Amino acid sequence: MPRISNSTTSKKAAKANSAVANRALADANNRLEAQLAELRLQLEAARVAAPAPVPAPGNAAVMPLLVPRIPGEHGRQYNLAKELEPYGVARRQYNHMLAEVRDSARIAQLDRNAYYRAQDPVKLAQIIALMRKRFPVLKRFASDWVTVEMLKQCLRNWRAKAKANADIIRNDSNDDTDNVNMANSRVGSPEI
């Protein structure tokens, strides 16, 4: 009589055990996929309901992308104060920033009659670094364009004021020739 080996029965038992294990794994996998789908729905609902996160100043890991420069010229095509409002810069803080830029430019002894391009780049870099340190919101703007626009505005105002003062002085010197006493003159020869 042929002998039946235990290997055949053990193979059948192993297949049965493996089928039971596979079913258990498939059931566990289905439960986990259902939980994952439910958690994804909850996460999406939380994202819609929650306000946008506000990054901590100086934390580069959660800082949003840098704000690109607005095309055009400040004061002509756009108002810088209004453009900064969506980034949390109120009018009062904007005016404080302008005062700081003006004071820093005065302390750095920028040439009041020269355009921005003609200024000393080392002095400009120092002013920009100081402004970034004093006002962390300025770090959000690419190439420090907000500070550069404020500096350009400051220099433009200084040049306009110098020109107006020169015009006043020129007009005052022209007015001196008009103060001629014609009352005692003979035949149009003025008495000075």
Side-chain angles (χ1 to χ4, degrees):
M1 171 167 172
R3 199 166 166 197
I4 300 177
S5 74
N6 284 339
S7 66
T8 309
T9 56
S10 63
K11 285 183 183 177
K12 288 181 183 177
K15 280 187 179 180
N17 285 340
S18 139
V20 169
N22 284 342
R23 250 184 271 123
L25 287 174
D27 290 342
N29 192 25
N30 290 336
R31 280 194 310 274
L32 289 173
E33 284 180 358
Q35 284 179 339
L36 182 61
E38 182 179 330
L39 289 173
R40 282 183 178 155
L41 289 173
Q42 289 176 0
L43 178 62
E44 188 59 34
R47 281 185 187 157
V48 170
V54 177
N59 188 351
V62 287
M63 289 294 281
L65 295 175
L66 294 176
V67 178
R69 186 182 184 285
I70 298 171
E73 184 181 355
H74 163 55
R76 295 180 197 262
Q77 283 86 15
Y78 64 91
N79 183 329
L80 189 58
K82 288 182 181 177
E83 295 296 333
L84 294 178
E85 284 176 2
Y87 304 103
V89 179
R91 178 63 101 166
R92 188 177 186 143
Q93 186 181 11
Y94 172 77
N95 290 336
H96 183 65
M97 286 179 186
L98 280 177
E100 287 288 329
V101 165
R102 185 181 56 244
D103 293 344
S104 300
R106 186 177 296 125
I107 291 168
Q109 297 178 347
L110 292 181
D111 184 1
R112 291 178 174 235
N113 296 320
Y115 289 95
Y116 178 82
R117 293 184 310 267
Q119 299 294 334
D120 182 10
V122 173
K123 290 179 180 180
L124 294 175
Q126 289 172 340
I127 293 171
I128 290 170
L130 179 68
M131 291 300 293
R132 284 175 67 106
K133 185 177 178 183
R134 288 192 180 163
F135 301 99
V137 71
L138 294 175
K139 295 177 184 177
R140 296 180 64 184
F141 300 95
S143 302
D144 298 300
W145 68 267
V146 171
T147 306
V148 169
E149 289 299 320
M150 288 180 183
L151 276 166
K152 287 179 181 178
Q153 176 183 349
C154 175
L155 293 169
R156 200 169 32 241
N157 289 344
W158 282 349
R159 285 192 310 274
K161 188 174 182 179
K163 182 179 177 185
N165 287 341
D167 287 345
I168 289 172
I169 291 170
R170 197 173 317 119
N171 287 339
D172 285 346
S173 65
N174 289 341
D175 289 344
D176 291 342
T177 60
D178 294 339
N179 293 331
V180 176
N181 187 358
M182 298 293 278
N184 294 330
S185 65
R186 291 187 193 169
V187 191
S189 61
E191 222 179 85
I192 299 178

